[in-house]
Amino acid sequence: MPGIDKLPIEETLEDSPQTRSLLGVFEEDTAATSSYFSQLFKAMQRIYDAQNELSAATHLTSRLLKDYEKQRFPLGGDDEVMSSTLQQFAKVIDELSSCHAVLSTQLADAMMFPITQFQERDLREIVILKEVFQIASDEHDAAVNRYSRLSKRRENEKVKNEVMEDVYTSRKKQHETIMQYFASLNMLQYKKKMALLEPLLGYMQAQISFFKLGSENLTQQWEEFLTNIGTSVQNVRREMDSDAEATEQTIQDLKAASDPLYMPDPDPNKIPVNRNLTRKAGYLNTRYKTSLVSSAWDRQYFFTQGGNLMSQSRGDVAGGLVMDIDNCSVMAVDCDDRRFCFQITSFNGKKAVILQAESRKDCEEWIATINNISKRIYLSENPEEIAARVNQSALEAVTPSPSFQQRHDSFRPSTQGRLKTDRSGSQCSAGSESPALSSLSLDSLVAPDTPIQFDIISPVSEEHTSQAKSGAQGRRTNPFGESGGSKSEESEDSILHQLYIVRFLGCMEVKATESADVIYETMRQILAARAIHNIFRMTESHLLVTCECLKLIDPQTQVTRLWFPLSSVVLCASHQENKRLLGFVLKTAGGRMDGRPVTVCYVFESNNDGEKICDSVGLAKQIALHSEMDRKATQKQRDLDKAKEKQQEELHKQKQIEKDLEEQSRLIATSSRPSQSAADGQFLVLSNSQSEDSEAGEEGQKKGESNA
């Protein structure tokens, strides 16, 4: 190591400019040393702080790994292999944390302590000595200056002695201070080298000790464990890469398959409707009221769960019950502001929900799914297979059997070459064929090419149409039995009031009314026409059965859609297999332009057993019949009573006439007798009452003669 530059202490008393110039060089070196060591101290302080942070972080990591098995993860929280592996890692990291703590202590003693001592003690001492030297030098210069200004003329010994004493004291103080200052500057050259080497030596020794400690305690003990963990990590990485490739391939396949589904209303020919579902989920818009006259729509996620319809908003943990859809009714409805809407009505008709699907396909699938659930198909072991069989049976029902078609053709030999219409070519069998139908021509039940009405025309539109045509064509007669505006109001005290929820399937004109076969044939043709033309919309109404009439009432507005006198119902029957289907035949007099009666068959689907509704109609007709018989008996008794009263009045009048005649005869006899007063020239004056009696007697006599 080269020699160290020193300040000459021997020349401190002389305090020459050369000495002061050399002192300035040392002071400049001291300032540079102080700046450099300040930066070096900060760097080593960062190393020490980082080591402390590493030790604390390692200890925290070990503690968190130990607490892993206490955590409750929603996914994979019960992985015992991972828990045991992390416990072993916690032990290793805990030992590493102890090693890092030891390293931190060694760095504090061997690295930070020497440089801190040099920074705070040695450099601080130089700064203090420099200030003291500057003060002593200024005092010495002031004392010498006062001594130099002593007068030559008058010498004051006392002042001279004081000035000389000041010069002595200040020079001695300056000399001692500058010697101490020079000595400290000279020692600083040694301390600077030691302050550079000792912290670095301590840092390296602490690191070597740390590495040795880790090598002795960790390498041999945990080498096999770390090797196994490394192998496991590589296996997991390979599995992740394989899964990533499979996921990417799945994404590409889903992109290709889902491209048609991106359209909000896909083509049903490309994506057919699945009618065999017993579970479905998806986003729907639901209507809710915001006030008495306004409503709004809200988009929610709906799904079926058993026999319940559930809904869930985004952000909700679980779904909420919307309604029970067992034995419910569902149908497509028309909304003024939305498309693809359908309505679900509970089995008791007290709750109804209007929902909007995104597409026609989605709407039809929801309707089919809810229909399958309402039939409780989901309770079976293989619900989708049973739903497929039910739908297949319905599909076969809309295709006539060969035997039925042959019988139909055998009754119509003259029409073999004629093209069959869509409705007569693919009819649906609403019920099983009865023996009476097998021997009865279809034309005798339903006229060929008879139009089918699938919806109920509202009374407002009917009235408006009849008023519009009344000027040119006279009064319009409705062939389907709606009576225009002249409806007789039913009595409020009717004995029977039964209300049922029904859905109108259709109506058509029929010929025969002798048996229920005409209703079964009408059901078959209406269902076949609905299946052919993909008509799924049904108008839901409330059927009110009373002793006077049948009413179809709008469930929302309570407006009467149709009204039929009970006397016009000539036949009512339910389906032989599907008991929810029912129909009744109405005969209205004068429905045609020529005055002939019109017979129309109406077909409905109900939530209840159709036989109950038919029984209610039969009971109403019986009650009406008994009421009519009682009314006729009462009327007959009233007529007899009136005849008796009239006879009594005639007898009373006859007696009164006889009495008047007797009185008249007496008065006449009295007036014809000669009196004495008349002979004397005096006259007999009759009173007014007597004159009236005489007139009444004359009239009675005339009536008696006429009666005779």
Side-chain angles (χ1 to χ4, degrees):
M1 185 174 290
I4 297 177
D5 297 327
K6 295 182 180 180
L7 286 170
I9 299 178
E10 299 84 5
E11 298 178 0
T12 54
L13 182 60
E14 184 179 0
D15 194 16
S16 63
Q18 290 80 8
T19 304
R20 286 293 183 106
S21 177
L22 185 60
L23 176 62
V25 174
F26 272 77
E27 287 179 346
E28 186 178 353
D29 180 74
T30 301
T33 301
S34 177
S35 176
Y36 175 78
F37 270 86
S38 177
Q39 298 178 13
L40 183 63
F41 175 80
K42 291 180 180 179
M44 291 186 176
Q45 184 68 39
R46 289 181 63 183
I47 293 175
Y48 177 68
D49 293 340
Q51 184 59 41
N52 286 334
E53 182 65 25
L54 180 60
S55 177
T58 308
H59 179 70
L60 178 61
T61 302
S62 174
R63 191 181 66 185
L64 290 176
L65 292 178
K66 291 179 180 178
D67 295 341
Y68 176 82
E69 59 183 3
K70 300 178 182 178
Q71 303 298 320
R72 295 181 179 179
F73 296 101
L75 299 176
D78 55 348
D79 192 350
E80 297 181 357
V81 176
M82 180 62 71
S83 299
S84 61
T85 303
L86 292 181
Q87 291 298 322
Q88 294 180 0
F89 267 112
K91 293 180 181 179
V92 177
I93 296 176
D94 197 12
E95 294 182 5
L96 284 175
S97 176
S98 301
C99 295
H100 282 294
V102 173
L103 177 59
S104 298
T105 304
Q106 291 178 352
L107 290 178
D109 296 338
M111 183 181 71
M112 295 306 300
F113 182 73
I115 195 171
T116 302
Q117 288 290 96
F118 178 75
Q119 184 83 9
E120 295 181 356
R121 186 183 64 183
D122 298 334
L123 292 179
R124 182 65 179 168
E125 181 183 2
I126 296 298
V127 173
I128 294 173
L129 287 175
K130 181 180 179 180
E131 294 176 355
V132 173
F133 166 70
Q134 189 65 35
I135 294 172
S137 178
D138 293 340
E139 291 178 353
H140 176 260
D141 292 341
V144 171
N145 191 17
R146 285 197 303 272
Y147 178 75
S148 299
R149 290 199 305 268
L150 288 176
S151 177
K152 296 187 295 180
R153 299 176 184 178
R154 290 180 61 184
E155 291 187 2
N156 190 342
E157 291 295 331
K158 184 178 179 180
V159 174
K160 182 180 178 181
N161 292 333
E162 290 179 357
V163 172
M164 292 179 65
E165 184 68 24
D166 290 341
V167 172
Y168 172 80
T169 303
S170 61
R171 184 168 292 175
K172 180 180 179 181
K173 182 179 179 180
Q174 180 189 9
H175 187 235
E176 292 177 353
T177 302
I178 197 171
M179 286 191 298
Q180 185 67 29
Y181 185 39
F182 278 24
S184 296
L185 288 175
N186 290 335
M187 292 297 105
L188 185 63
Q189 304 303 314
Y190 295 99
K191 293 178 180 179
K192 179 174 65 174
K193 294 183 179 181
M194 290 187 297
L196 278 174
L197 298 177
E198 284 184 355
L200 297 177
L201 180 62
Y203 174 73
M204 295 305 298
Q205 288 178 348
Q207 292 291 345
I208 291 172
S209 176
F210 172 74
F211 292 143
K212 286 183 178 180
L213 184 62
S215 177
E216 292 174 358
N217 296 335
L218 300 177
T219 304
Q220 298 178 356
Q221 181 179 0
W222 299 101
E223 184 174 0
E224 183 179 359
F225 169 71
L226 296 178
T227 302
N228 295 333
I229 296 300
T231 304
S232 299
V233 171
Q234 294 299 325
N235 293 334
V236 172
R237 186 176 297 278
R238 284 193 295 270
E239 185 178 353
M240 181 187 68
D241 295 339
S242 176
D243 193 7
E245 293 178 0
T247 302
E248 183 66 25
Q249 183 63 36
T250 303
I251 290 174
Q252 297 299 328
D253 296 340
L254 288 176
K255 283 182 179 179
S258 302
D259 187 69
L261 300 177
Y262 295 149
M263 292 298 294
D265 190 11
D267 187 2
N269 296 326
K270 297 180 179 179
I271 306 176
V273 179
N274 188 359
R275 306 187 185 279
N276 304 330
L277 299 175
T278 56
R279 292 182 299 174
K280 188 168 177 61
Y283 281 97
L284 296 172
N285 293 325
T286 177
R287 171 182 276 180
Y288 64 94
K289 287 188 176 180
T290 57
S291 63
L292 293 177
V293 296
S294 61
S295 61
W297 296 83
D298 185 24
R299 182 176 171 85
Q300 294 183 2
Y301 185 79
F302 285 81
F303 59 94
T304 60
Q305 191 175 65
N308 298 324
L309 179 64
M310 315 289 287
S311 68
Q312 184 176 359
S313 301
R314 286 185 177 178
D316 292 346
V317 179
L321 177 64
V322 178
M323 65 185 302
D324 183 8
I325 54 179
D326 277 342
N327 295 323
C328 73
S329 62
V330 58
M331 63 178 179
V333 294
D334 288 335
C335 294
D336 296 336
D337 56 341
R338 295 296 175 107
R339 300 181 301 164
F340 313 132
C341 297
F342 61 96
Q343 176 176 319
I344 308 173
T345 307
S346 61
F347 68 97
N348 55 6
K350 294 183 178 179
K351 184 174 182 181
V353 179
I354 297 179
L355 303 173
Q356 181 198 16
E358 193 176 65
S359 63
R360 186 180 305 278
K361 169 185 172 296
D362 199 20
C363 179
E364 293 180 6
E365 285 189 351
W366 272 104
I367 292 175
T369 303
I370 295 175
N371 271 328
N372 293 335
I373 294 175
S374 67
K375 299 173 184 176
R376 298 190 175 184
I377 298 177
Y378 67 92
L379 297 176
S380 58
E381 295 181 358
N382 298 317
E384 293 189 0
E385 294 182 3
I386 295 178
R389 289 203 300 268
V390 171
N391 291 326
Q392 183 64 26
S393 300
L395 183 61
E396 292 174 356
V398 301
T399 304
S401 61
S403 60
F404 188 88
Q405 188 67 30
Q406 290 171 4
R407 288 198 304 270
H408 176 63
D409 293 339
S410 64
F411 287 114
R412 303 178 62 185
S414 60
T415 58
Q416 295 295 330
R418 189 177 61 184
L419 293 176
K420 298 179 177 61
T421 60
D422 291 339
R423 181 171 54 82
S424 62
S426 57
Q427 309 270 327
C428 74
S429 176
S432 62
E433 299 175 9
S434 63
L437 187 59
S438 62
S439 61
L440 186 63
S441 174
L442 295 178
D443 290 347
S444 63
L445 298 178
V446 179
D449 300 330
T450 302
I452 300 177
Q453 180 177 332
F454 295 107
D455 201 356
I456 300 175
I457 302 176
S458 63
V460 177
S461 62
E462 278 293 310
E463 182 180 357
H464 177 75
T465 305
S466 62
Q467 290 177 0
K469 295 185 179 181
S470 60
Q473 300 178 0
R475 185 164 180 245
R476 177 182 177 271
T477 58
N478 194 338
F480 296 105
E482 295 99 331
S483 55
S486 60
K487 295 181 181 179
S488 60
E489 298 294 334
E490 61 174 309
S491 61
E492 297 296 334
D493 56 349
S494 178
I495 301 176
L496 182 65
H497 279 84
Q498 293 290 337
L499 190 66
Y500 302 96
I501 299 175
V502 296
R503 286 169 295 280
F504 181 70
L505 296 177
C507 65
M508 62 186 300
E509 185 178 351
V510 296
K511 289 185 176 182
T513 59
E514 289 78 11
S515 65
D517 293 332
V518 64
I519 296 179
Y520 303 150
E521 175 63 17
T522 304
M523 290 179 180
R524 186 181 68 82
Q525 294 198 20
I526 289 176
L527 293 178
R530 278 183 168 270
I532 292 170
H533 299 291
N534 293 326
I535 299 175
F536 301 100
R537 181 179 179 275
M538 294 183 291
T539 304
E540 185 174 27
S541 304
H542 289 173
L543 176 62
L544 179 63
V545 180
T546 66
C547 298
E548 289 81 13
C549 64
L550 298 181
K551 274 188 178 183
L552 285 177
I553 302 173
D554 191 325
Q556 296 181 354
T557 61
Q558 299 301 315
V559 175
T560 301
R561 290 173 171 169
L562 291 180
W563 181 91
F564 305 108
L566 193 62
S567 59
S568 64
V569 180
V570 296
L571 193 62
C572 182
S574 62
H575 196 277
Q576 294 177 342
E577 295 179 358
N578 188 358
K579 298 300 183 181
R580 296 174 65 179
L581 294 178
L582 75 148
F584 52 84
V585 179
L586 300 174
K587 180 178 290 186
T588 58
R592 300 181 185 274
M593 297 297 295
D594 56 1
R596 289 184 299 166
V598 176
T599 306
V600 181
C601 181
Y602 287 82
V603 180
F604 298 91
E605 181 187 19
S606 66
N607 292 342
N608 310 96
D609 192 352
E611 292 183 355
K612 294 182 179 179
I613 302 178
C614 295
D615 293 341
S616 297
V617 175
L619 179 61
K621 289 183 73 66
Q622 290 181 5
I623 294 175
L625 178 61
H626 288 296
S627 299
E628 183 66 19
M629 293 175 63
D630 293 341
R631 188 187 65 80
K632 289 182 178 181
T634 305
Q635 185 66 29
K636 185 177 180 180
Q637 185 65 32
R638 288 178 181 176
D639 293 342
L640 292 176
D641 293 340
K642 287 182 179 180
K644 289 181 179 180
E645 290 178 359
K646 189 174 181 181
Q647 187 177 5
Q648 292 293 335
E649 290 179 357
E650 291 293 336
L651 292 176
H652 178 70
K653 289 181 179 180
Q654 187 66 26
K655 290 181 180 181
Q656 185 66 31
I657 290 171
E658 292 177 357
K659 185 177 179 181
D660 293 339
L661 289 174
E662 291 178 359
E663 185 67 24
Q664 185 69 20
S665 300
R666 186 180 62 80
L667 291 175
I668 291 172
T670 304
S671 61
S672 61
R673 187 179 302 167
S675 61
Q676 205 163 12
S677 58
D680 295 335
Q682 295 180 352
F683 297 93
L684 179 62
V685 180
L686 298 176
S687 62
N688 292 333
S689 59
Q690 291 176 349
S691 62
E692 291 177 357
D693 291 339
S694 63
E695 291 177 357
E698 293 177 357
E699 290 179 358
Q701 185 177 1
K702 291 180 180 179
K703 288 183 180 179
E705 293 175 355
S706 63
N707 291 331

